[in-house]
Amino acid sequence: MSARIEEAAAIGSVATPSAAVAAWHAEQGRRRMAVLVGRILVGIAIITIWEYASGRWIEPLFISSPSRVGTRLWRWTVTGQLWNHLSITLYATAIGFAIGSSVGFVFGILFGRFKTIADVFDPYITAIYSIPKIALAPLFIIWFGIGIESKVAVSASIVFFVVFLNTYAGTRDVNQLYVHSTRIMGGSELDILRYVVVPSAASWVITGLKVSVPYALVGTVIGEFMSANRGIGFVIAQATGLFDTTSVFAGLVTLGVVGAIINVALKHVEIRLLRWKG
Amino acid sequence: MGISVRGVEKRYVSRGKETSALQHVDLEIASGEFVAFVGPSGCGKSTLLNMIAGIVPASTGQILHDGRIVADANRNVGYMTQGDSVLPWYTVARNVDLPLKIQNVGADERKRRVADWLGRVGLLGFEASYPAELSGGMRKRVALAQVLVYDPSTLLMDEPFGALDAQLKLLMQAELLKIWETTRKTVVFVTHDLAEAVTLANRVVVFSGRPGRIKLVEDIPLAYPRDPFRVRFRPEFEAIYARLWDALAPEIAKGEAI
């Protein structure tokens, strides 16, 4: 009986808050605060230097300035232009991500479970993977036109490989002991897939998904650079042609902010799904 | 009924070379027996266990379990190994529930049996914990509840307590004996620890070094219920241990010489 109580103590279920615990929490809080303050200061420093340098050290034609970029973004927001372009970019990114990741996931599991299929296709997959996906963009424009479909295709093709390769690696990585014991307790192949392979590969898959979201955005924007009539990539490309650096920076800032927001959201999803890792 | 191993051999082919892991084994294990396999590493004792579990095919011969030929994964056994077989991504309760869910047991029945076994292995209050949050001993209890919850006729255990410290090992042995004494399931228990084998089993099978074969089968005439903390100080224990050790020691030495 006493051993059981000790075991319970070992995992902290009977822990009572002590002064040391309170001090630890306070220390953690102080550290978080210091990081936050540091981040804000770095941001202010970058904007200040940029603003100061513009027109004094470097021609505003090249680097614009934070105040101009801010004004431009504000104008785009109130006129609805920002959302008009951003929405199409986000839409193409989301669809490309959804298609690329689900197809990549299915193929990753399939190849991971059937070694012979994987061995047969291996050289072709490697070859296609080695092609920079950007080089496929012109082809996709010929196939799918200058509308949203070609942007979806570019981002889907990039996302596919990232998710496929991660899912494949995750599926190969499954502990055979789990497979055996699940089979012995009566599990069918489908049960093993559902209760063992997919959850086991999940951390690899989630890593793949996390990495591929920014890639999906990149794919869409590249598609928009090449030919489009809407989207943030289109705005940047058009402004570049007009030497309108303020709009170029406004577009870049928008992409940066969107990318950061998506990353934070994904981090939360990851923490929730991989809670078992403790 | 029970387990019947008939002329079983195991040969592996690796890099185009065939090696024999287990040579001609005949063994009868009656229903309700607690049999321990001991032997040096690589003697094929785990291989034989895995063949009974149906996850490793025999090269020749056949194995009957409860009158049926074992052809693939044997669904009438509970299988527990030294490694953690509980799924780390599910909570304690979901892990114990998993075999019942797979076998389509009704929801109420499942809830009742899971609670029952969690109680019997002393895990009440830890239903919602993940395995990573538990100690090694508690994870073993989860694994034990998981194999017992679906009530297989036989337990196959491959050094299940090998990774635990000495005290915890004795504690788990006591739990296992208690469960065996109440359920009278057939148990096949692989270990390299001779004291553990003598403490638990009513019959010990000693394997020779590679290629493995059965060297000695010995009944352990110690009365149950046994207390793992005390049984080792009984004079009969010492005599049995010494006799088995005489059979085992040269095999271990042989393995070390290679």
Side-chain angles (χ1 to χ4, degrees), chain A residues 137-165:
Chain A
L139 192 62
F140 288 145
I141 290 166
I142 295 173
W143 286 352
F144 302 112
I146 65 160
I148 190 169
E149 295 85 351
S150 54
K151 284 86 199 167
V152 169
V154 177
S155 62
S157 68
I158 297 178
V159 170
F160 168 82
F161 276 100
V162 180
V163 174
F164 167 75
L165 291 173

Side-chain angles (χ1 to χ4, degrees), chain A residues 53-81:
Chain A
S54 172
R56 287 188 177 82
W57 301 336
I58 307 168
E59 268 295 308
L61 176 67
F62 295 118
I63 61 163
S64 187
S65 75
S67 53
R68 292 194 191 102
V69 172
T71 315
R72 182 66 47 91
L73 278 172
W74 175 247
R75 216 185 66 215
W76 283 356
T77 311
V78 291
T79 57
Q81 267 189 83

Side-chain angles (χ1 to χ4, degrees), chain B residues 74-119:
Chain B
N74 186 347
R75 271 89 197 266
N76 298 316
V77 300
Y79 179 71
M80 201 174 151
T81 64
Q82 175 169 12
D84 277 316
S85 57
V86 293
L87 301 175
W89 39 86
Y90 291 144
T91 59
V92 168
R94 263 204 91 177
N95 261 295
V96 177
D97 182 50
L98 187 62
L100 300 179
K101 192 171 172 181
I102 284 174
Q103 293 171 13
N104 291 318
V105 177
D108 291 341
E109 172 76 2
R110 266 161 57 189
K111 209 175 277 177
R112 194 185 62 71
R113 273 157 77 173
V114 169
D116 176 36
W117 274 105
L118 285 178

